[in-house]
Structure formats: structure tokens, C-alpha cells
């Protein structure tokens, strides 16, 4: 992971951290707790959603944890697809990774719940279901399109290899003259054998006795390149299979070739056609990858917002009065930011946190971890925090 990676911490705290229960003052208190040494805090507005029963909220907290992991995975997969199609060019990849035509960081800093796409007046369960269907659809669309691109790219590579490879793989349409190939014979058949240059002498010494009924002195050199020499050999048809098998055992490469009138022109047209198709599908895959990355990041951030909301209700109770902030930091400074927040708000964790003789905050994991985990208040890494907190990176 790059040292310059940006890490975000999404935090919810009760407004009661300020003496006046003011949102603005609570946000200022949050900024003071983090300090500019460890990160920058931006307001992160979350609307009020319809709240169901306590049992429903606990289940939704679990559903959202799984959904968030799924969103993160889809964002990563789309990113990998873009990396593949742009051949690892980091500059070009970064240009494609936008959300609503702006960098992901800018989108996060100015986040507003998309009330048109995800109506805030809908029940939480409906919103979760909508986001689940959306991220699944994005995943499937990208998978299908990139599979299609990989297939056409493979086809193109195969055709190109036939034009540019050595004599053991390349097309023979413009190499083998039709006069060398025995056609329309009931008994005889011509075989084209690519022999590594280092063992051509062995081939010429042994090919006549390799199998029964090989026509003596029928080997004719057709072509040669830096690696192989191509020979034409005539055998009786009923022993062709045995001859071909023995060639392979001797590390000579039998070439499957049937002369076809206009075959060279047909191959050129096929190469041109598949080349155009590859460019077309490449463009489609790139456009879909750009759109899908932005949409999957948006879905992910909305799921994070729902996670914060549900956990806030479970943690701080009703009536709701909380402030939510987004901390922009780095992986190294994130730990220090969390420690500073723990020092300021450890009292929100009740018996889960105490202080040692020097006044430093300590966690009483043995007495609370099982209860907290059972209640759904443990972090993603199983680490209890006295406030609602989720860390993430958008790569």
C-alpha cells in the first residue's frame, strides 16, 4: 500500500459532546479532538430515516455490514478491470475513477444523500434492498462486459499470432503453394511438419521409417524461419494418424492445413473484422468501467451512511441528536486520530474504557468484549470503539 494512501474515518457522536447540544459546536469539538495534526474533519450530513423496531435495527446493522463488504469488493473489482483494460497506466486509470465527474475525495467531502435515487422517506429495509440490487447489477454488468472483451481480445491475439508467430503456429495460407498439397486422392495425403532447426538432420534421417508407408524421399522444404523449418511429407492415408502421432513424440509439430482458394484474403478480412470488434468492445468496456466505478462508490458511501445511522440509533438511542463527521487522514495518522478521539470520548463507552494511573485511556476488553460483540457494537475488526466509527479507503 502506498504511503500516500488517503484513509477516511466516518464518525458519529452525540450532540451532547457540546454544552449546548449544538450540531455546529459538536462538529467544532470533533475537529478539536482530531486536531489538524492527525487529519481534517468535514461535515457529513445524514438524513433522518424511518426507524423500525429494535430487532429490525439489529438485523439491519448485520445486513449493512455484509452489504458494505460487498460494495467494497465490487469497487475493487471494477478498479481491477479498469487496470487491465488500460494496461496498468496509473495516470489513465485515475482519470477514469470519478464520481459524478469529480474525484472520489471531492464527492465525499461534499456528500449529500441522493434523495432522488434513494428516497429517504422509504423504510430502511427498502433502501437496503435497493442498494443490494444496484450493487449486484453493477457487478454482473461489468463482469459480462469484461468477459466479452477478454473473449474478443483472445480471438484477436490468436489471429495476430497466426500472422506473426513462427512456423509452428502461424497461418500457412500465404506460405504453402497449392501445388505442394496432394488433393482429392483416395490413398495419399500431404503432411506439413514444423521441425526445430536444431534437429532437422534427425528428421531427414528418420522420417521415412517413422511409420509404415511413408513415401520415400517425399520430404520437401517449404519454408524456414529463425526457429523452425517447414517440410511437406507424403504418406498413405491409412497410416496418417500413426505418422502424425510419431511426429509429436519426436517433438516435431504437425500443422493442420487444408488448402482453400482465397484463404489468405479471407484470413486478412477476418483479422480486420475482429480488430474492429476488439476496439469497439474495448471502448464499451472502458465507458462501462468508468460509469460502474463511480456508481459503485456512490452506492458504497450511501451504505456507509446507513451503517452510521443505524449504529447511531442503537448506540445513542432516541430521540436522535447526533453529529457526523468525515476525517481525511492517512493509514499511519489514523491510529493517532483514533487514540485522540478515544481520549476525548472514552466516557461514551461506559465500563468498556478506563484510565490507568497516569490518566491514559485503557480498554477493559475482558469485561465487555463479549457483551459488545453480542450487541453488534464491535467494529469491523472486532475492536470496540466508544463512538460510532468506520474506517475505509477508496483505491
Amino acid at each position: 500500500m502506498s504511503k500516500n494512501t488517503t484513509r477516511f474515518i466516518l464518525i458519529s457522536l452525540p450532540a451532547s459532546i457540546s454544552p449546548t447540544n449544538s450540531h455546529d459546536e459538536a462538529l467544532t469539538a470533533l475537529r478539536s479532538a482530531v486536531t489538524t495534526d492527525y487529519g481534517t474533519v468535514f461535515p457529513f450530513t445524514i438524513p433522518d430515516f424511518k426507524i423500525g423496531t429494535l430487532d429490525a435495527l439489529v438485523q439491519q446493522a448485520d445486513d449493512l455490514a455484509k452489504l458494505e463488504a460487498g460494495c467494497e469488493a465490487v469497487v475493487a473489482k471494477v478498479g481491477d478491470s479498469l487496470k487491465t483494460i488500460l494496461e496498468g497506466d496509473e495516470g489513465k486509470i485515475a482519470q477514469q475513477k470519478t464520481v459524478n465527474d469529480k474525484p472520489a475525495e471531492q464527492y465525499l467531502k461534499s456528500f449529500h444523500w441522493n434523495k432522488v435515487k434513494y428516497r429517504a422517506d422509504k423504510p430502511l429495509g427498502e433502501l437496503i434492498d435497493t442498494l443490494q440490487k444496484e450493487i449486484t447489477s453493477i457487478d454482473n454488468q461489468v463482469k459480462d462486459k469484461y468477459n466479452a472483451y477478454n473473449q474478443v481480445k483472445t480471438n484477436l491475439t490468436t489471429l495476430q499470432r497466426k500472422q506473426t508467430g513462427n512456423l509452428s503456429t502461424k497461418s500457412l495460407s500465404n506460405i504453402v503453394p497449392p501445388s505442394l498439397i496432394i488433393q482429392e486422392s483416395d490413398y495419399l495425403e500431404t503432411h506439413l511438419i514444423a521441425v526445430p532447426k536444431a534437429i532437422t538432420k534427425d528428421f531427414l534421417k528418420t522420417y521415412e521409417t517413422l511409420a509404415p508407408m511413408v513415401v520415400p524421399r517425399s520430404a520437401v522444404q517449404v519454408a524456414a524461419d529463425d526457429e523452425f523449418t517447414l517440410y511437406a511429407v507424403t504418406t498413405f492415408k491409412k497410416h496418417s494418424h500413426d505418422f502424425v502421432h510419431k511426429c509429436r513424440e519426436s517433438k516435431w509439430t504437425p500443422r493442420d492445413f487444408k488448402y482453400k482458394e482465397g484463404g489468405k484474403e479471407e484470413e486478412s478480412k477476418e483479422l480486420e473484422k475482429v480488430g474492429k470488434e476488439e476496439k469497439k468492445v474495448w471502448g464499451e468496456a472502458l465507458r462501462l468501467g468508468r460509469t460502474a466505478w463511480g456508481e459503485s462508490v456512490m452506492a458504497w458511501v450511501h451504505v456507509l451512511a446507513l451503517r452510521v445511522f443505524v449504529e447511531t440509533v442503537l448506540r445513542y438511542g432516541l430521540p436522535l441528536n447526533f453529529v457526523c463527521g468525515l476525517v481525511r487522514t492517512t493509514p499511519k495518522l489514523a491510529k493517532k486520530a483514533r487514540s485522540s478521539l478515544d481520549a476525548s470520548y472514552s466516557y461514551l463507552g461506559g465500563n468498556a474504557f478506563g484510565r490507568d494511573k497516569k490518566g491514559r485511556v485503557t480498554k477493559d476488553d475482558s469485561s465487555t468484549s463479549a457483551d459488545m460483540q453480542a450487541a453488534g457494537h464491535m467494529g469491523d475488526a472486532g475492536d470496540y470503539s466508544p463512538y460510532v466509527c468506520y474506517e475505509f479507503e477508496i483505491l
Side-chain angles (χ1 to χ4, degrees), residues 106-174:
Q106 188 179 338
Y107 170 75
L108 279 165
K109 289 177 183 178
S110 57
F111 174 77
H112 289 285
W113 184 269
N114 189 333
K115 294 182 180 179
V116 176
K117 198 171 186 181
Y118 315 110
R119 287 177 50 185
D121 61 344
K122 293 285 186 181
L124 283 170
E126 260 188 58
L127 290 171
I128 294 170
D129 188 52
T130 297
L131 284 158
Q132 176 68 70
K133 288 177 179 175
E134 181 181 4
I135 203 69
T136 301
S137 175
I138 291 170
D139 189 24
N140 289 336
Q141 286 178 41
V142 171
K143 195 182 301 177
D144 290 346
K145 180 57 70 176
Y146 276 80
N147 284 342
Y149 171 69
N150 287 332
Q151 182 61 57
V152 73
K153 185 180 180 183
T154 299
N155 294 343
L156 179 62
T157 301
T158 301
L159 290 171
Q160 288 173 333
R161 191 180 295 121
K162 285 183 177 179
Q163 301 298 317
T164 59
N166 58 45
L167 286 168
S168 70
T169 58
K170 73 187 300 183
S171 170
L172 302 178
S173 295
N174 61 343

Side-chain angles (χ1 to χ4, degrees), residues 232-251:
V233 177
T234 304
T235 71
F236 279 76
K237 282 187 175 180
K238 65 179 181 179
H239 293 289
S240 288
H241 179 77
D242 191 21
F243 178 75
V244 168
H245 178 68
K246 293 291 185 180
C247 283
R248 289 198 176 99
E249 284 186 346
S250 301
K251 302 189 184 308

Side-chain angles (χ1 to χ4, degrees), residues 57-294:
L57 283 170
V58 171
Q59 181 59 53
Q60 286 158 357
D62 186 49
D63 293 342
L64 285 164
K66 294 173 183 174
L67 180 54
E68 195 224 321
C71 289
E72 184 176 5
V74 170
V75 170
K77 281 192 281 186
V78 177
D80 287 342
S81 297
L82 284 170
K83 186 175 182 180
T84 298
I85 203 167
L86 292 171
E87 299 178 338
D89 188 318
E90 294 296 338
K92 291 180 180 178
I93 294 167
Q95 289 175 3
Q96 302 303 316
K97 287 184 172 182
T98 60
V99 185
N100 286 344
D101 295 321
K102 55 189 176 185
E105 184 173 322
Q106 188 179 338
Y107 170 75
L108 279 165
K109 289 177 183 178
S110 57
F111 174 77
H112 289 285
W113 184 269
N114 189 333
K115 294 182 180 179
V116 176
K117 198 171 186 181
Y118 315 110
R119 287 177 50 185
D121 61 344
K122 293 285 186 181
L124 283 170
E126 260 188 58
L127 290 171
I128 294 170
D129 188 52
T130 297
L131 284 158
Q132 176 68 70
K133 288 177 179 175
E134 181 181 4
I135 203 69
T136 301
S137 175
I138 291 170
D139 189 24
N140 289 336
Q141 286 178 41
V142 171
K143 195 182 301 177
D144 290 346
K145 180 57 70 176
Y146 276 80
N147 284 342
Y149 171 69
N150 287 332
Q151 182 61 57
V152 73
K153 185 180 180 183
T154 299
N155 294 343
L156 179 62
T157 301
T158 301
L159 290 171
Q160 288 173 333
R161 191 180 295 121
K162 285 183 177 179
Q163 301 298 317
T164 59
N166 58 45
L167 286 168
S168 70
T169 58
K170 73 187 300 183
S171 170
L172 302 178
S173 295
N174 61 343
I175 294 174
V176 180
S179 59
L180 269 179
I181 305 299
I182 296 174
Q183 301 180 59
E184 299 179 0
S185 171
D186 292 333
Y187 303 103
L188 297 176
E189 186 172 14
T190 304
H191 299 279
L192 294 168
I193 310 297
V195 182
K197 280 202 162 183
I199 54 175
T200 53
K201 288 183 180 179
D202 292 338
F203 168 79
L204 292 171
K205 285 179 183 178
T206 59
Y207 80 92
E208 292 178 352
T209 58
L210 203 63
M213 302 186 79
V214 177
V215 176
R217 299 182 183 180
S218 61
V220 177
Q221 180 174 326
V222 181
D225 60 22
D226 293 339
E227 300 174 67
F228 291 87
T229 301
L230 184 69
Y231 290 96
V233 177
T234 304
T235 71
F236 279 76
K237 282 187 175 180
K238 65 179 181 179
H239 293 289
S240 288
H241 179 77
D242 191 21
F243 178 75
V244 168
H245 178 68
K246 293 291 185 180
C247 283
R248 289 198 176 99
E249 284 186 346
S250 301
K251 302 189 184 308
W252 310 332
T253 306
R255 297 299 313 276
D256 185 15
F257 176 78
K258 299 291 183 186
Y259 176 74
K260 183 179 180 181
E261 189 73 36
K264 179 182 176 182
E265 292 76 12
E266 191 175 300
E267 284 184 0
S268 296
K269 287 180 181 178
E270 180 68 11
L271 180 61
E272 184 181 357
K273 175 186 172 186
V274 176
K276 288 180 179 177
E277 179 69 10
E278 190 268 346
K279 288 180 181 178
K280 173 176 171 286
V281 180
W282 182 88
E284 292 171 353
L286 181 61
R287 287 190 293 275
L288 178 61
R290 177 189 176 93
T291 303
W293 194 85

Side-chain angles (χ1 to χ4, degrees), residues 265-368:
E265 292 76 12
E266 191 175 300
E267 284 184 0
S268 296
K269 287 180 181 178
E270 180 68 11
L271 180 61
E272 184 181 357
K273 175 186 172 186
V274 176
K276 288 180 179 177
E277 179 69 10
E278 190 268 346
K279 288 180 181 178
K280 173 176 171 286
V281 180
W282 182 88
E284 292 171 353
L286 181 61
R287 287 190 293 275
L288 178 61
R290 177 189 176 93
T291 303
W293 194 85
E295 289 183 349
S296 56
V297 168
M298 278 194 284
W300 183 14
V301 176
H302 279 76
V303 169
L304 277 165
L306 285 176
R307 282 197 81 182
V308 169
F309 179 83
V310 170
E311 181 66 16
T312 296
V313 177
L314 291 172
R315 187 76 71 95
Y316 307 140
L318 298 173
L320 276 179
N321 190 14
F322 69 100
V323 64
C324 185
L326 178 76
V327 181
R328 181 193 183 279
T329 183
T330 66
K332 184 177 180 180
L333 292 177
K335 293 180 180 179
K336 295 181 178 180
R338 292 285 299 272
S339 295
S340 182
L341 286 162
D342 287 349
S344 297
Y345 304 117
S346 60
Y347 66 89
L348 295 172
N351 294 331
F353 286 78
R355 293 184 182 271
D356 60 18
K357 292 179 181 179
K358 294 183 178 180
R360 293 174 299 193
V361 174
T362 59
K363 295 182 183 180
D364 187 5
D365 294 327
S366 60
S367 64
T368 60

